Amino acid sequence: MTKKERREIGEGIVSYEARKGPGDVARENAWCLFLILASAAALFSASESFRDWKVWISSAFAALLALLNATAVCERLVLFRGLGVQFETASCLGARQRTFVEENKIEAVLINEAVTSTDAYYYLCFVMKSGDDMALAFPTSRPGVDFLAAAYNEAKALLEKKR
């Protein structure tokens, strides 16, 4: 279950955070985890010596660490009044990625719908003035439309005050 939270950090600074639970992370990575474990088991049973076994287990462990480092567990949108928007992503192992977009580079804020063959979900995007670039808030956590609408309204108000 994704935990969603709005927090006022300071005057003119608001944070929207979506945090995935362990079940969400496991579902998101189920096939990759299965392939890593199946590969390790197959290679373990085929290895003839203890030395080979250690190499395959360490390789499976490295693949698992790479998978966990690439899996986002916390996504945050921080709105800075008068400055811009910051997108943050934290992985299972604590690696963080932050991207800041200045307010004057944002053309529009949209809630859009994505439709796949098995699902439909909403996402919050920021369209850049350059016209060929876009930034997504919460790209993997998929919070509900009510949460996105609250973030949209606040981001829209932030951008409208400047114009």
Side-chain angles (χ1 to χ4, degrees), residues 5-7 9 26 31 35 46 58 85 91 126 130 141 143 149 151 160:
E5 179 181 15
R6 178 198 181 271
R7 192 177 336 166
I9 298 173
W31 281 106
L35 289 174
S58 60
V85 178
S91 76
F126 293 79
S130 62
S141 57
E160 291 297 322

Side-chain angles (χ1 to χ4, degrees), residues 10-111:
E11 190 168 331
I13 304 171
V14 179
S15 168
Y16 285 87
E17 178 177 292
R19 184 176 295 273
K20 296 177 191 174
D24 296 324
V25 173
R27 272 190 300 282
E28 185 178 315
N29 295 310
W31 281 106
C32 292
L33 289 171
F34 173 75
L35 289 174
I36 290 170
L37 292 174
S39 299
L43 294 171
F44 172 69
S45 65
S47 67
E48 295 177 9
S49 71
F50 183 71
R51 185 174 178 265
D52 293 339
W53 176 79
K54 287 194 315 190
V55 170
W56 295 118
I57 292 298
S58 60
S59 298
F61 185 69
L64 181 63
L65 286 177
L67 175 68
L68 290 175
N69 195 45
T71 302
V73 292
C74 180
E75 295 173 327
R76 183 180 297 147
L77 169 70
V78 185
L79 305 170
F80 295 93
R81 181 162 284 115
L83 293 175
V85 178
Q86 181 172 294
F87 305 94
E88 296 180 24
T89 303
S91 76
C92 288
L93 299 180
R96 295 194 180 275
Q97 179 183 359
R98 292 183 178 100
T99 305
F100 184 80
V101 179
E102 294 176 18
E103 197 173 297
N104 60 359
K105 293 183 179 178
I106 299 172
E107 177 73 29
V109 182
L110 305 170
I111 293 181

